[in-house]
Amino acid sequence: MNWRRLARALLAVPVFLVTAWGALALWFQLAPALALFLGAAWCLLGLAAVLVLARAPGWRHERKLLLAAALALLSMLGWWHSLAPSHERPWADDVARLLVSRVDGDRLELQNVRAFEWRTETDYTPRWETRRYDLARLESADLVLSYWMGPHIAHTLVSFGFSDGQRVVFSLEIRKERGEEFSAIGGFFRKFEQVIVAADERDLIRTRSNARSEQVYLYRLRATPTQLRSVLLEYLERAEALRRRPEFYNTLTSNCTTILFELARHIDPTLPLDYRLLASGHFAEYAYDHGALTPGLPYAVLRERGHINARARKAGPDAMDYSRAIRIGVPGIPASD
């Protein structure tokens, strides 16, 4: 067996993968015309290197070509590591402001709570508010999954309830610029920053169930007041960290589901990794299997009764009416809640 030839052939595989990665990085980071030009040059050089490695050695120019490919890779890596997240971009209206929180004992003040009135995805009335909460009244939390791309992918949110009727829902989202659209692939290539949004339920949940017609499911979480407070404060700490230092969104490692898993691990460090952290549409089932949802009923029943769309469409214009309506019949939630 020619071991040298085998080693060269095996080396061609990561060279091909790096070529594909660089082409996608250029596509998602640069203007289309420049991305096409530089991407074509990068791909030609990379594929030429793959062919040289895959064939038997001996071509007299192969060293020059491989050296050029290595220099191109170093340039690509230098450019990639120069990309930095920023707060200074022309943001879309719904992510234009960052959450600011102040905690003084049991008193919590949140600035820039989003309370948009959504008629459609593009027709809305912007509204940002300052709201105050009594942490001593924190009594419940609900897991919300909104399915926007088939049964395996969902956006995860957590809504906290207080005994005085107030609610605040948190969501980690991409921070889109004006005119940008979400791309799961782009999320691997530093296309977006991330932001934690705190909002009224008629904003963050209703826009998904009504304006976007996503399929939305709500589940009551099992947690003590101490655990609820811990998770809520962790959300605020993460939001403050992002406000002080922006970070890129990552489809795999830093998304709406992984942050919830990280926060839950502060309560139970033994929670295991699971494929359902990536296939986020199954995250509620993961939570059920680990005792985090209402006990005593099969998961299929919790899911069926937690589907809120029909109730959400019939809910009245008042925020409390909406919150009560979407919880009617959800297991673990008192009728008065």
Side-chain angles (χ1 to χ4, degrees):
M1 179 180 292
N2 189 329
W3 292 104
R4 183 182 177 190
R5 184 170 183 176
L6 177 60
R8 287 166 60 94
L10 291 176
L11 182 58
V13 175
V15 171
F16 176 81
L17 294 176
V18 168
T19 299
W21 168 82
L24 288 169
L26 291 169
W27 176 254
F28 284 107
Q29 287 294 332
L30 302 180
L34 185 58
L36 283 173
F37 175 75
L38 292 180
W42 167 263
C43 287
L44 285 173
L45 186 58
L47 292 176
V50 169
L51 292 174
V52 166
L53 290 168
R55 64 184 290 279
W59 182 48
R60 63 192 181 104
H61 295 300
E62 74 171 43
R63 288 188 178 181
K64 292 181 180 179
L65 188 143
L66 293 177
L67 177 59
L71 291 174
L73 176 59
L74 289 175
S75 298
M76 174 69 76
L77 292 175
W79 165 74
W80 178 253
H81 286 290
S82 74
L83 299 175
S86 173
H87 285 325
E88 305 302 321
R89 304 194 194 279
W91 302 115
D93 291 342
D94 58 333
V95 289
R97 300 190 187 184
L98 295 172
L99 178 66
V100 179
S101 61
R102 293 186 179 86
V103 179
D104 181 9
D106 287 331
R107 291 180 294 180
L108 169 62
E109 179 181 282
L110 299 182
Q111 295 179 11
N112 298 329
V113 175
R114 207 177 73 192
F116 282 29
E117 180 183 346
W118 298 88
R119 291 171 287 277
T120 68
E121 269 198 275
T122 56
D123 180 17
Y124 52 85
T125 302
R127 185 180 301 114
W128 299 92
E129 298 181 352
T130 295
R131 295 190 177 183
R132 295 171 180 84
Y133 307 87
D134 183 353
L135 292 173
R137 291 176 172 267
L138 180 61
E139 65 175 8
S140 67
D142 298 311
L143 173 66
V144 181
L145 270 68
S146 184
Y147 292 79
W148 56 275
M149 194 175 72
H152 305 300
I153 301 297
H155 187 77
T156 56
L157 314 92
V158 176
S159 181
F160 294 92
F162 298 79
S163 61
D164 59 1
Q166 291 194 93
R167 298 184 188 276
V168 60
V169 55
F170 289 89
S171 172
L172 185 144
E173 305 192 353
I174 65 166
R175 200 175 187 197
K176 302 188 302 292
E177 297 178 41
R178 293 193 193 103
E180 273 191 330
E181 298 290 338
F182 175 73
S183 165
I185 298 176
F188 287 103
F189 293 94
R190 299 184 177 179
K191 176 66 175 174
F192 311 106
E193 279 83 2
Q194 59 179 290
V195 63
I196 289 181
V197 175
D200 187 285
E201 287 193 332
R202 287 191 73 251
D203 176 327
L204 206 46
I205 299 178
R206 188 175 183 273
T207 183
R208 297 176 180 278
S209 63
N210 292 33
R212 299 182 187 176
S213 296
E214 298 177 7
Q215 298 305 305
V216 183
Y217 295 79
L218 185 144
Y219 307 86
R220 175 54 52 97
L221 288 167
R222 293 181 68 195
T224 66
T226 299
Q227 291 172 328
L228 295 175
R229 182 173 180 137
S230 175
V231 174
L232 189 153
L233 293 179
E234 287 286 347
Y235 262 114
L236 298 181
E237 288 184 16
R238 181 65 179 270
E240 179 62 19
L242 288 175
R243 189 174 73 86
R244 293 179 182 276
R245 183 179 179 181
E247 295 181 19
F248 284 118
Y249 177 92
N250 186 284
T251 301
L252 181 64
T253 63
S254 182
N255 58 50
C256 60
T257 305
T258 57
I259 185 178
L260 185 52
F261 174 71
E262 291 169 8
L263 299 184
R265 266 198 162 177
H266 284 278
I267 297 174
D268 183 0
T270 65
L271 282 175
L273 294 172
D274 193 290
Y275 80 93
R276 290 170 291 188
L277 300 174
L278 302 179
S280 53
H282 302 281
F283 183 74
E285 187 177 4
Y286 170 85
Y288 176 82
D289 287 346
H290 292 281
L293 302 186
T294 300
L297 292 170
Y299 172 71
V301 174
L302 297 185
R303 178 178 168 84
E304 178 186 2
R305 296 184 185 176
H307 188 217
I308 73 168
N309 286 66
R311 301 190 294 271
R313 286 192 291 269
K314 295 177 182 178
D318 180 75
M320 287 192 178
D321 288 343
Y322 177 81
S323 293
R324 281 193 292 264
I326 63 176
R327 288 173 170 80
I328 293 174
V330 175
I333 300 181
S336 59
D337 201 356

